């Protein structure tokens, strides 16, 4: 028989936890003080400078980060404002051409004679013996046309005319009168309009419609200018008249010979026709009677 086994006793060694003294404990502080005392004055100075430099770098880095964020915010604001201004400028610049195109749709396919009023709004043509052929002045030189009816249909003029490309002008961009008189010498018909027409949106649309009929540069039959006559330019048109059509003719048209002879005009002549409103009908009849080649210098552009 087996005897009873004796019990096995296990010995468990107790674990003693030793916590580190707190950072601000007197013992640890005394150790730091003792360590500092062992440092030389030079080493203590270096430690203080290093600690101070680290603090300064941290402060400078924070300032830089804050400044960078501020610059980024400011940059986004400036960019947004710039984009908005650009959109307003582009939109404003595009508005007028788009509006003009929209307003002119009704004149697409319309004949010149059907634009504006009928020729009955215009009076009879008037004539005066012309002079000033080949008499040029320097650009910018003032020429007094006050002795002749307004606007001028002949006379001394600037050395260079305006180009054939542009047809319609406003007060802001019209060439000088002296330059336009040179265009008359080259066979251009000029339709002058006063401030009453300039303030009338419908009649300005009619002028734009007329200008569209004469677009081009390679056909001298397109020699026409539609320009404003300003108060500063000289005498106003006759009472009740707001449009003047002028031409510098080499000779008076056959249909106007009787009127011209009564005015004692037998050679080169200035021709005027005044109207109370814009009339494509009157303009067509005028340019048929006085084409570009009936002028002192028809072959010049």
């Amino acid at each position: 028989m087996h005897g009873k086994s004796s019990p096995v006793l296990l010995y468990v060694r107790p674990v003693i936890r030793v916590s580190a003294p707190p950072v601000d404990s007197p013992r640890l502080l005394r150790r730091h003080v003792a360590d500092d005392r062992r440092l030389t004055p030079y080493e203590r100075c270096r430690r203080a400078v290093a600690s101070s430099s680290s603090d300064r770098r941290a402060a400078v880095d924070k300032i830089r980060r804050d400044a960078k964020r501020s610059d980024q915010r400011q940059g986004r604001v400036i960019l947004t404002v710039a984009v908005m201004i650009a959109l307003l400028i582009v939109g404003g610049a595009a508005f007028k051409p788009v509006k003009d195109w929209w307003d002119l749709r009704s004149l697409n396919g319309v004949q010149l004679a059907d634009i504006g009023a009928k020729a009955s709004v215009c009076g009879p043509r008037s004539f005066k013996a012309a002079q000033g052929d080949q008499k040029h002045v320097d650009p910018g030189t003032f020429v007094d046309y006050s002795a002749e009816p307004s606007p001028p249909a002949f006379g001394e003029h600037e050395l260079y005319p305006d180009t054939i490309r542009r047809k319609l002008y406003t007060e802001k961009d019209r060439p000088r009168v002296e330059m336009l008189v040179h265009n008359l010498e080259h066979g251009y018909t000029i339709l002058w309009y006063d401030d009453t027409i300039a303030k009338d949106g419908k009649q300005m649309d009619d002028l734009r419609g007329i200008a569209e009929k004469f677009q081009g540069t390679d056909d001298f039959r397109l020699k026409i200018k539609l320009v404003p006559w300003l108060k500063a330019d000289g005498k106003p048109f006759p009472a009740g008249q707001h449009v003047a059509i002028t031409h510098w003719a080499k000779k008076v048209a056959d249909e106007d010979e009787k009127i011209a002879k009564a005015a004692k005009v037998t050679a080169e002549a200035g021709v005027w026709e005044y109207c109370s409103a814009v009339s494509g009908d009157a303009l067509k009849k005028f340019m048929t009677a006085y084409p570009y080649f009936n002028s002192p210098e028809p072959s010049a552009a």
Side-chain angles (χ1 to χ4, degrees), residues 117-139:
K118 293 298 182 182
S120 57
V121 300
C122 302
R125 295 169 192 150
S126 57
F127 305 87
K128 192 167 184 178
Q131 57 184 353
D133 188 1
Q134 288 290 322
K135 292 184 178 180
H136 299 148
V137 298
D138 291 332

Side-chain angles (χ1 to χ4, degrees), residues 125 127 189 247 249-256 271 273 282-294:
R125 295 169 192 150
F127 305 87
T189 291
H247 189 83
K250 188 70 175 177
K251 64 181 293 293
V252 174
D254 293 343
E255 63 189 78
D256 293 326
V271 186
E273 185 171 331
L283 179 63
K284 181 179 180 180
K285 291 176 179 177
F286 186 97
M287 295 184 72
T288 300
Y290 294 95
Y292 79 91
F293 51 80
N294 184 357

Side-chain angles (χ1 to χ4, degrees), residues 45-63:
C45 182
R46 285 189 60 186
R47 176 179 290 184
V49 169
S51 176
S52 176
S53 298
S54 177
D55 293 342
R56 283 199 300 271
R57 280 196 299 270
V60 170
D61 289 342
K62 183 177 184 303
I63 292 172

Side-chain angles (χ1 to χ4, degrees), residues 189-206:
T189 291
I190 299 184
L191 183 154
W192 311 76
Y193 61 93
D194 69 3
D195 191 54
T196 298
I197 302 297
K199 293 178 179 178
D200 188 324
K202 173 62 172 62
Q203 297 208 64
M204 288 304 298
D205 284 343
D206 290 339

Side-chain angles (χ1 to χ4, degrees), residues 71-292:
D71 289 343
Q72 289 174 342
R73 286 195 299 270
Q74 186 177 15
R76 286 193 292 269
V77 171
I78 292 173
L79 179 61
T80 301
V81 172
V83 170
M84 292 178 65
I85 292 174
L87 290 174
L88 289 173
I89 292 174
V90 172
F95 175 75
K96 190 176 187 306
V98 171
K99 181 180 182 300
D100 290 346
W101 169 82
W102 184 265
D103 293 340
L104 288 176
R105 289 182 313 140
S106 60
L107 297 177
N108 290 339
V110 176
Q111 297 298 316
L112 174 62
D114 295 328
I115 297 177
K118 293 298 182 182
S120 57
V121 300
C122 302
R125 295 169 192 150
S126 57
F127 305 87
K128 192 167 184 178
Q131 57 184 353
D133 188 1
Q134 288 290 322
K135 292 184 178 180
H136 299 148
V137 298
D138 291 332
T141 301
F142 171 75
V143 177
D144 184 5
Y145 298 108
S146 61
E148 313 300 340
S150 291
F154 58 83
E156 293 184 5
H157 46 273
E158 285 193 6
L159 186 60
Y160 304 106
D162 190 31
T163 67
I164 193 174
R165 183 176 302 278
R166 182 84 178 269
K167 311 299 179 179
L168 176 62
Y169 294 85
T170 66
E171 178 181 356
K172 295 180 180 179
D173 54 20
R174 189 206 69 184
R176 293 178 296 277
V177 173
E178 292 82 0
M179 179 181 285
L180 292 170
V181 173
H182 198 158
N183 286 94
L184 286 167
E185 186 185 40
H186 288 186
Y188 283 74
T189 291
I190 299 184
L191 183 154
W192 311 76
Y193 61 93
D194 69 3
D195 191 54
T196 298
I197 302 297
K199 293 178 179 178
D200 188 324
K202 173 62 172 62
Q203 297 208 64
M204 288 304 298
D205 284 343
D206 290 339
L207 287 178
R208 282 189 283 269
I210 290 172
E212 285 296 316
K213 303 300 180 185
F214 290 91
Q215 291 304 310
T217 60
D218 56 353
D219 188 341
F220 281 0
R221 290 176 298 178
L222 304 175
K223 284 184 173 183
I224 188 173
K225 297 289 179 182
L226 313 173
V227 300
W229 178 253
L230 310 176
K231 291 181 179 179
D233 293 329
K235 297 176 293 187
F237 301 160
Q241 308 304 301
H242 305 293
V243 173
I245 308 173
T246 61
H247 189 83
W248 188 341
K250 188 70 175 177
K251 64 181 293 293
V252 174
D254 293 343
E255 63 189 78
D256 293 326
E257 279 187 354
K258 289 184 179 180
I259 301 176
K261 284 182 179 179
K264 298 181 180 180
V265 176
T266 57
E268 284 189 21
V271 186
W272 289 263
E273 185 171 331
Y274 295 101
C275 310
S276 60
V278 174
S279 172
D281 186 20
L283 179 63
K284 181 179 180 180
K285 291 176 179 177
F286 186 97
M287 295 184 72
T288 300
Y290 294 95
Y292 79 91

